[in-house]
Amino acid sequence: MIIKILLGYILGYLRISVEGYYIERFINLCNNKKIIIWNIKKDKNVKIYFNVSIKDFRKVAKIAKKFKCKLKIERKKGIPFLLNKYRKRKIFAILLIVVVTIIIASSNFVWNIEIKEEKGENLEKIYEDVKEAGLSIGMLKNKIDRKEIINKVCLKRDDIAWMGIEIKGTNVLISIVKSDKKPEIINQNEYCSIVAEKEGIITKINPQNGTANVKVGDVVKKGTPLINGWIEGKYTGIRYVHSRGEIEAKVWHTKSIKIPYNTTEKRETGNIQKLYSIKFNKFEINLQKRVSKFKIYGTIETENKFKLFSNFYLPISVKKTVLKEEVEEEKIYSKEQAKNLGIQQLEEELQKEIEDATKIVNKNINTYEHENDIEIYLTYEVLEKIGTKERIIF
């Protein structure tokens, strides 16, 4: 909304007065039709003053006519009216030339980088890697080496299957397809063994092709052969095969945490403060004092860029900073409360890690009490399939 209001100042707006008996209904209908009006002031109960953009004026006039309200233009504000006032003077021509020159000059630079990832997946630190590869806001478009940037990013990361760069206006669109880390596929006519992909105690082993190398109750480590990819016969000797079978083991998932008995926690009060600034590329102009009225607060920043068309961004943006007031509260836990809190947090973490909760067969909790805190270790014993195929290389 703030951007639309600022655009109203730039593109021109009208100060309107509306007089009638259905003022409240008039305002509600404007809101329903998403017509932005601002700086609303009431004069008694039958007359209001407000600002509206030139584009929305006709819509407002129709609504006023519908409710038989008297509408009057009080003032005209904004750059278009200012230019119209001085159209016969040199300042108009100079200002027009300056604006056109700035727009033409800006069209040679990159003012926005849009990263579009397949299926909405977010790749961590991808923008930083793109910037490091040589693409940044404010650079000349003819200096962009798309092939080099793609090669640098793809060589650095192993989670990208495909990457494309497209320049549209002053916008650079980067399309990314994430690569899936799939296990190596071994053809049925190739020889392979089955090995353990994690540590555990074997609870079930059923070799369907190959020779079992372990038995129920054995403790195995990662990489231990479970079913060998060969069969040894009394008369045929050793014959290599593509091993198959079902192996299940009891594995351990462990997490730990320290919970202090005395701690200070932050809590939001619900009070907020909004600060706005205008950015011209890297140069920032604050519209208000940046001093917060809160002692302790959290910060959320958003930035909206101006654009003339869908892909023609300008080096101008509005930055909104929301300060959320926080208060510090001292928390004192008993040993039992600290223990329960720690167990709850660890259980939430472990349940995200374990795919099938029905396979949990046991839960072990170990605690170590100290003078100022309690240390908690939580271990889940889970039944999982741990076998993975490994090609036999001669």
Side-chain angles (χ1 to χ4, degrees), residues 39-246:
N39 285 355
I40 302 172
K41 289 186 179 179
K42 275 191 176 184
D43 184 4
K44 299 181 181 178
N45 292 322
V46 294
K47 190 173 184 179
I48 58 168
Y49 297 89
F50 59 86
N51 297 340
V52 65
S53 67
I54 297 172
K55 187 179 76 171
D56 290 334
F57 173 71
R58 288 191 178 184
K59 296 178 184 177
V60 169
K62 284 183 181 179
I63 296 171
K65 187 177 180 181
K66 181 178 179 180
F67 291 115
K68 297 180 181 180
C69 295
K70 185 180 177 182
L71 183 146
K72 182 182 177 183
I73 298 174
E74 301 289 340
R75 291 192 302 274
K76 299 177 181 179
K77 293 286 184 178
I79 293 174
F81 299 114
L82 186 66
L83 293 178
N84 185 57
K85 184 178 179 181
Y86 295 105
R87 65 184 181 276
K88 293 182 180 180
R89 303 186 183 182
K90 291 181 181 179
I91 190 170
F92 172 78
I94 294 170
L95 191 59
L96 183 63
I97 291 169
V98 170
V99 170
V100 172
T101 303
I102 290 172
I103 292 173
I104 293 172
S106 297
S107 66
N108 296 311
F109 294 85
V110 173
W111 298 118
N112 189 63
I113 297 174
E114 183 181 352
I115 299 176
K116 188 178 180 182
E117 298 166 23
E118 189 185 37
K119 298 176 184 176
E121 296 173 333
N122 293 321
L123 296 178
E124 191 177 352
K125 295 185 178 179
I126 184 64
Y127 180 79
E128 289 82 354
D129 290 338
V130 168
K131 190 175 178 181
E132 190 179 320
L135 178 59
S136 59
I137 290 173
M139 72 181 299
L140 283 166
K141 293 192 292 186
N142 58 12
K143 296 290 184 182
I144 298 174
D145 190 334
R146 285 183 267 195
K147 189 175 180 181
E148 184 182 355
I149 293 166
I150 291 170
N151 287 339
K152 283 183 177 180
V153 174
C154 290
L155 283 171
K156 185 176 181 180
R157 306 178 67 108
D158 58 1
D159 56 353
I160 295 177
W162 179 85
M163 179 177 174
I165 296 177
E166 188 179 4
I167 302 172
K168 291 184 175 181
T170 60
N171 185 39
V172 174
L173 177 62
I174 301 174
S175 301
I176 293 174
V177 177
K178 188 178 179 181
S179 63
D180 295 322
K181 293 183 180 179
K182 297 179 180 178
E184 183 184 9
I185 297 172
I186 301 174
N187 295 328
Q188 293 296 318
N189 57 358
E190 292 184 271
Y191 304 137
C192 68
S193 297
I194 297 178
V195 301
E197 61 181 356
K198 58 179 69 175
E199 186 178 347
I201 299 175
I202 301 298
T203 56
K204 183 197 294 183
I205 182 161
N206 180 23
Q208 297 164 4
N209 200 20
T211 305
N213 189 56
V214 294
K215 61 183 183 298
V216 173
D218 286 352
V219 178
V220 297
K221 295 182 178 181
K222 184 178 179 181
T224 300
L226 304 175
I227 300 176
N228 293 324
W230 60 80
I231 299 173
E232 188 173 356
K234 186 175 181 180
Y235 301 104
T236 59
I238 294 175
R239 180 167 58 90
Y240 290 96
V241 297
H242 182 100
S243 62
R244 292 192 302 275
E246 185 181 357

Side-chain angles (χ1 to χ4, degrees), residues 276-386:
Y276 295 94
S277 61
I278 298 176
K279 290 184 70 176
F280 298 88
N281 194 15
K282 295 180 181 179
F283 181 71
E284 187 172 345
I285 300 173
N286 296 321
L287 300 179
Q288 300 138 295
K289 290 183 178 180
R290 305 300 288 182
V291 180
S292 174
K293 61 183 181 182
F294 306 132
K295 236 181 184 181
I296 307 169
Y297 56 89
T299 304
I300 299 174
E301 291 184 350
T302 54
E303 189 174 335
N304 294 300
K305 297 184 178 182
F306 283 93
K307 57 181 178 179
L308 296 178
F309 315 106
S310 59
N311 286 298
F312 196 96
Y313 287 83
L314 296 174
I316 307 169
S317 60
V318 174
K319 182 179 172 184
K320 178 182 175 183
T321 305
V322 179
L323 308 180
K324 294 187 174 184
E325 185 185 28
E326 297 175 342
V327 291
E328 291 184 342
E329 294 181 342
E330 189 177 356
K331 292 282 185 180
I332 301 174
Y333 298 109
S334 65
K335 291 180 180 179
E336 192 64 26
Q337 287 175 328
K339 178 183 174 180
N340 292 335
L341 178 63
I343 292 171
Q344 181 185 345
Q345 292 180 15
L346 293 175
E347 284 180 336
E348 289 174 359
E349 290 180 28
L350 283 171
Q351 283 166 8
K352 291 177 184 177
E353 188 177 288
I354 296 166
E355 293 180 5
D356 188 356
T358 62
K359 295 290 186 178
I360 300 171
V361 293
N362 196 17
K363 179 171 74 172
N364 294 317
I365 302 170
N366 292 312
T367 59
Y368 301 92
E369 296 179 3
H370 306 293
E371 184 180 351
N372 299 317
D373 57 53
I374 184 170
E375 195 170 358
I376 306 154
Y377 288 82
L378 178 60
T379 301
Y380 279 173
E381 294 181 1
V382 187
L383 294 178
E384 294 181 6
K385 292 179 180 179
I386 65 167

